[in-house]
Amino acid sequence: MSEEKRYFQPEWETMPADKIKEHQSKLLVEQVKHVWDNVPYYSDLMEKKGVRPEDIKGIDDICKLPFISKEDLRKAYPYGLLAVPLDECVRIHSTSGTTGQRVVAFYTQEDIDLWDDCCARAIVAAGGSEKDVCHVAYGYGLFTGGAGLNGGSHKVGCLTVPASSGNTERQIMFIKDLNATILCCTPTYAAYIGETMKEMGMKPEDIPLKAGIFGAEAWSEEMRRDIEQTMGIKAYDIYGLTEISGPGVAFDCEEQTGMHINEDHFYAEIIDPNTGEVLPEGTKGELVFTSLDKKAFPLLRYRTRDICVLNRKKCSCGRTFIKMAKPMGRSDDMLIIKGVNVFPSQIESVLLKKGYQANYLITVDRVNNADTFDIDVEMTPEMFSDNVSVISAREKEIVDALKSMLGIYAKVHLVAPKTIARSEGKATRVIDKRKLW
Ligand code: DLL
């Protein structure tokens, strides 16, 4: 790949760390003043913490600022955190949250331009250029996935196919007929598209795709390899959240060892979720983001609930931006079963290592004051058997592998291929019946 095409904005993506820090310091001082002057909800929070704009002289002072959480966003719904007049806003997006009040985020045209740049960086890092056909099968609408990757694809100059999700056979027809080289969708949907292609008799070499940009939900390394093999592509992770803009807050490069955070726009911290203490680089904790230059809906120290690790080791791609590991789950998705912390991603990892696909459903309940822990796991067509002793032996193999990873027993039920519902967006992997009490 030529040097110009390696990066979308080389001056930013390869900027030395000390220069990025200088830039972040300047932006933070301006951003704090912007929210103090324009968002009473923020100035109240800051006053309660005894901090004023003049106390923030650079990025190292960020720890003086209060955190903001989803709870605050719900309280301030819909306009309470808006930092510009409504007539300067050109669009809204909203989270897919299923509990409580939805969160609505606002964008000025400038906010959208910067967000599109972030997504364009991700597409170029995945090998994209104006020669590519970029098939966007993230949902369009209030969800940020479709609009974000669509905007990035335009900036790169790809031929953009705004397919949205659904109608999988039609998606495959377009991918084939229009020679799509880059597929953007959730990893769950990518796996489903791959499975359907296989059923239609397509081999990896019959599929024109060369890369996939998959995110919006946690997915394991094993799932990545599985999708890569089925489609004959390289699968790149992409991370983001509506509150901070959408996809493109961080993105994979060819090394696939963590996602580079677009640090010229977003400042990341890792904190202890219980105490709020900032943890040193390399420690696992909750990811917190500050949007440094968003104008309409700027969040300072937003607690994402995503559990993850940061590291600034030199990357062979030449980008200097800090990397975040694949989030291992959300602190609010973490299940506590029989007193043990369990992330669905750990279970997924075990299953994929044993040759299953990411088609599983975890059910947790409480019977006679004790937790029950059941996992339905779909057999692949190749391993399908109705021989009871074969099935029992396979189930026992998974139970033992989970026991050695988690330290507790799960009841595993192998089910026939195609019996667990597929998702075209983010997958539902857990039913926790205990919450209904
Ligand atoms: O999921 C934005 C997005 C769209 C990201 C398309 C990537 C691709 P929300 O619906 O607000 O926004 O959900 C944000 O999804 O806090 C994480 O818990 C999770 N998430 C997003 N990307 C990843 C990822 C979009 N790559 C929430 N790995 C975040 C793991 C992810 N979790």
Side-chain angles (χ1 to χ4, degrees):
M1 197 190 294
S2 70
E3 199 54 34
E4 312 82 83
K5 288 286 182 317
R6 264 180 87 102
Y7 314 109
F8 181 65
Q9 291 170 314
E11 66 287 12
W12 291 110
E13 295 175 62
T14 61
M15 184 175 271
D18 56 336
K19 285 269 176 287
I20 293 173
K21 192 169 171 187
E22 239 173 67
H23 174 73
Q24 291 175 325
S25 288
K26 179 177 156 285
L27 291 184
L28 182 69
V29 171
E30 288 167 12
Q31 189 72 301
V32 169
K33 195 164 174 326
H34 175 56
V35 301
W36 175 272
D37 290 345
N38 295 297
V39 188
Y41 195 96
Y42 253 119
S43 43
D44 287 352
L45 276 184
M46 286 172 64
E47 268 178 346
K48 271 192 209 130
K49 198 152 190 259
V51 53
R52 299 180 57 82
E54 49 276 23
D55 300 322
I56 307 299
K57 300 195 171 59
I59 203 75
D60 291 335
D61 292 323
I62 199 163
C63 53
K64 296 179 183 163
L65 293 168
F67 292 115
I68 191 150
S69 67
K70 193 156 228 155
E71 208 32 57
D72 291 300
L73 269 57
R74 285 182 177 143
K75 273 193 216 149
Y77 172 89
Y79 298 121
L81 287 163
L82 190 60
V84 298
L86 198 54
D87 56 11
E88 287 180 26
C89 297
V90 296
R91 202 193 299 159
I92 68 145
H93 281 285
S94 173
T95 54
S96 46
T98 46
T99 51
Q101 190 75 62
R102 268 178 171 259
V103 168
V104 175
F106 299 83
Y107 303 75
T108 63
Q109 186 56 51
E110 195 189 337
D111 293 336
I112 287 187
D113 275 343
L114 298 179
W115 175 27
D116 288 350
D117 285 344
C118 291
C119 289
R121 290 176 185 180
I123 294 172
V124 173
S129 74
E130 65 286 352
K131 299 201 169 45
D132 283 289
V133 176
C134 184
H135 184 103
V136 184
Y138 284 111
Y140 280 64
L142 289 170
F143 180 53
T144 53
L149 269 307
N150 196 98
S153 174
H154 277 217
K155 283 240 172 174
V156 176
C158 302
L159 174 63
T160 310
V161 183
S164 197
S165 54
N167 200 339
T168 306
E169 299 214 345
R170 192 184 61 193
Q171 304 264 4
I172 295 171
M173 182 195 84
F174 273 128
I175 290 172
K176 220 167 158 266
D177 296 351
L178 300 176
N179 246 325
T181 44
I182 301 178
L183 171 65
C184 306
C185 61
T186 61
T188 305
Y189 196 38
Y192 183 40
I193 294 177
E195 187 183 354
T196 312
M197 284 174 165
K198 219 172 169 179
E199 282 167 12
M200 290 164 74
M202 291 169 76
K203 298 195 191 64
E205 56 276 21
D206 303 328
I207 301 166
L209 296 169
K210 64 176 184 186
I213 303 179
F214 306 136
E217 61 182 353
W219 55 309
S220 59
E221 281 304 324
E222 290 77 11
M223 186 164 175
R224 187 199 309 251
R225 301 295 160 230
D226 212 44
I227 298 172
E228 288 189 331
Q229 275 167 18
T230 311
M231 293 194 181
I233 60 170
K234 189 155 173 163
Y236 295 82
D237 203 350
I238 183 165
Y239 169 90
L241 59 166
T242 315
E243 295 88 329
I244 297 297
S245 63
V249 171
F251 61 97
D252 250 350
C253 64
E254 70 255 22
E255 237 196 34
Q256 297 179 315
T257 52
M259 291 174 272
H260 290 285
I261 295 174
N262 280 310
E263 282 189 285
D264 49 339
H265 302 301
F266 312 110
Y267 183 77
E269 299 169 271
I270 292 282
I271 62 162
D272 177 325
N274 299 317
T275 63
E277 182 202 349
V278 178
L279 300 174
E281 193 192 308
T283 314
K284 189 169 82 185
E286 181 181 336
L287 192 53
V288 170
F289 276 111
T290 295
S291 44
L292 295 167
D293 49 9
K294 245 183 109 188
K295 287 287 171 283
F297 195 71
L299 296 187
L300 305 181
R301 305 196 87 200
Y302 179 64
R303 294 188 58 161
T304 64
R305 301 279 165 204
D306 291 321
I307 303 293
C308 154
V309 180
L310 298 178
N311 89 66
R312 199 181 280 286
K313 281 193 209 115
K314 197 169 174 347
C315 184
S316 61
C317 78
R319 287 180 185 79
T320 44
F321 291 156
I322 200 165
K323 282 184 183 171
M324 57 179 275
K326 257 183 181 308
M328 63 177 301
R330 294 174 58 82
S331 58
D332 46 5
D333 274 358
M334 187 183 77
L335 295 158
I336 303 181
I337 307 174
K338 304 177 191 181
V340 172
N341 295 352
V342 176
F343 285 99
S345 59
Q346 293 173 297
I347 295 170
E348 180 175 305
S349 223
V350 166
L351 295 178
L352 273 88
K353 273 191 196 131
K354 297 261 167 235
Y356 297 85
Q357 281 169 343
N359 298 316
Y360 60 93
L361 185 66
I362 303 164
T363 309
V364 190
D365 204 348
R366 186 157 291 167
V367 179
N368 298 331
N369 293 324
D371 287 340
T372 61
F373 178 21
D374 289 75
I375 311 173
D376 288 348
V377 180
E378 214 181 81
M379 286 180 273
T380 61
E382 298 79 42
M383 63 173 62
F384 180 63
S385 163
D386 49 11
N387 180 320
V388 177
S389 59
V390 171
I391 291 184
S392 308
R394 287 216 177 109
E395 286 174 342
K396 182 169 181 316
E397 195 192 32
I398 302 174
V399 170
D400 291 346
L402 288 171
K403 168 77 170 61
S404 82
M405 167 169 273
L406 305 171
I408 51 171
Y409 279 107
K411 268 196 204 147
V412 171
H413 315 273
L414 285 182
V415 298
K418 295 252 163 197
T419 42
I420 294 179
R422 301 295 190 265
S423 166
E424 292 164 354
K426 304 193 191 210
T428 305
R429 307 254 188 238
V430 181
I431 300 176
D432 191 344
K433 296 187 177 162
R434 299 172 301 181
K435 287 187 190 145
L436 302 177
W437 294 10

